[in-house]
Structure formats: C-alpha cells, structure tokens
Amino acid sequence: MKLLLLEDDDLLAESLAETLGDAGYRVDSATSIRMAESLMATEDYALAILDLGLPDGSGLDLLQRWREQGRRLPILALTARDTWEDKVNGLRRGADDYLTKPFHEAELLARLHALLRRQSGGLTQILTVNGIQLDEHTQKVSTDGATWQDLTATEFRLLRYLMHHPDRVHSKSQLLDQLYALEQDAAAPNLVEVYIGRLRRRLGKHIIQTRRGQGYMLVSR
Ligand code: CA
C-alpha cells in the first residue's frame, strides 16, 4: 500500500518514512508542493500525509485543489499550529483527520490505520480472503485461524496488496511498483516471482494464480 508523505522538515520526514516503512507501507516522500503534485499526478496512493506549512505554498491550498480535482484518498494533515480556526479550516478544506506537532509516531500510526479502515469500510484489523487471514497490525498470516506465521516486510506488502485487490490480474511491474519506493534502485522483476513463490509455499499453490504473459491474481474463491 503506497502512501505519499509531504513534509519539508527533513528529520521528521525521514523518521516518519522509516516508521511507516516498518509498519509495512511503501512511502514516497516529497518536500515541496511541486514535488507532491507531480507524484500525485503519476502515482496511485492509498493515503496522503500532508504538512500544511511548506516552502513553496500552503498545504491547505493544495488540499483544496486535490479535492476539487476529485481526489478522494484519505488525507491526514500535520501542522505546527494548533488553533481551533486552523483545525476547522483544514477539515473544511478536505482533510480527514488532523495531527498537531509535536505528536507521537504511535498516534500517527493509529490515526492512519483508522482512516484506512474507514476507507475500506471495515472495522477489523484482520483482512480475510479465501480462508487466508492477514493481521495488518502484527503482520502475521493464518490459513486456519489458529496458527499464525510471521511474514517478512516484503511478503507482507505483497500479500496485503493482493488481498486488497483480489480477482484482478496484476503485472509483475505493477507488483514491483507496490514493493519498492521510488528512490530505491530498480529491483529485478524476477524478485516478484521469488516472493510469489514464497507466499504460495505459505498459503497453498491455488491461492495465487499465474496468468501467463500477464501476471498474477489472488483468487477470492
Ligand atoms: Ca513545514
């Protein structure tokens, strides 16, 4: 699941990106409105974290522009200011939630999980597809609801993406795109095969089907 982080404070951005990465999210970081707009135009994000005070303009204006363009992704606003006017203004212009600096990263993660759950319409942290249960908090998977296996960060990201988008064929490059952040070196496409193979060994062969020449599909039944 890909997130966009727009934060011009380098230290905070780095720390947040690491925390979010550890929690299994793929994060693209932008430090200016210009960068964020070009990323938003080409990438598909599940959620955006948006600092409101930025070097090249107002995050509030950007927020409003995205909403006017019809972008519906959940947006969590960050700000150093904590007057109630700013908060009301931010929410009115399209933020889904609001966090005032300084904040604990655990609180940011909790808000973010809540927004993503609200977005997908569920209240549970367990994602269930075709008998496979994925706990999005502990990053463990179960095929019988009783024993839980640990997943590596990459296995977790890949499986979560497939489970959120079942019965659709995903090309190797689409899956690779979900696994690696933009700044990292391009990974070899056969890495996707390797991770699909590992997931099949954990979950059973029938769950993830290969469509020759097209890609992979997780089947929901
Ligand atoms: Ca700032």
Side-chain angles (χ1 to χ4, degrees), residues 67-143:
R67 291 312 189 205
E68 284 166 1
Q69 291 166 0
R71 300 193 185 279
R72 295 182 184 283
L73 76 168
I75 294 178
L76 178 61
L78 304 180
T79 184
R81 300 166 295 181
D82 65 347
T83 66
W84 65 267
E85 290 95 336
D86 284 332
K87 180 165 180 169
V88 168
N89 211 358
L91 294 171
R92 188 181 290 145
R93 289 168 83 172
D96 296 280
D97 201 355
Y98 209 94
L99 217 47
T100 303
K101 295 177 192 173
F103 52 82
H104 290 289
E105 293 193 342
E107 183 175 6
L108 179 119
L109 278 181
R111 302 278 188 102
L112 187 142
H113 285 143
L115 287 175
L116 290 171
R117 274 203 302 279
R118 206 193 299 165
Q119 177 85 345
S120 63
L123 288 170
T124 166
Q125 66 195 49
I126 308 277
L127 188 61
T128 304
V129 179
N130 199 350
I132 308 289
Q133 290 179 285
L134 182 68
D135 187 321
E136 303 201 60
H137 287 190
T138 63
Q139 305 190 6
K140 290 178 188 225
V141 70
S142 175
T143 52

Side-chain angles (χ1 to χ4, degrees), residues 138-196:
T138 63
Q139 305 190 6
K140 290 178 188 225
V141 70
S142 175
T143 52
D144 59 9
T147 48
W148 292 84
Q149 306 178 51
D150 287 316
L151 295 170
T152 67
T154 304
E155 288 169 352
F156 173 69
R157 285 183 203 199
L158 180 60
L159 180 59
R160 179 168 60 180
Y161 183 75
L162 290 170
M163 288 178 74
H164 274 284
H165 305 90
D167 301 320
R168 269 164 52 182
V169 179
H170 305 281
S171 70
K172 277 185 203 171
S173 67
Q174 280 167 346
L175 294 177
L176 203 57
D177 192 42
Q178 289 297 324
L179 298 184
Y180 295 94
L182 291 177
E183 303 80 33
Q184 289 173 354
D185 295 338
N190 69 8
L191 266 186
V192 171
E193 287 169 40
V194 170
Y195 281 102
I196 291 282

Side-chain angles (χ1 to χ4, degrees), residues 7-9 51-55 101:
E7 170 57 73
D8 62 310
D9 178 333
D51 180 31
L52 297 185
L54 293 155
K101 295 177 192 173

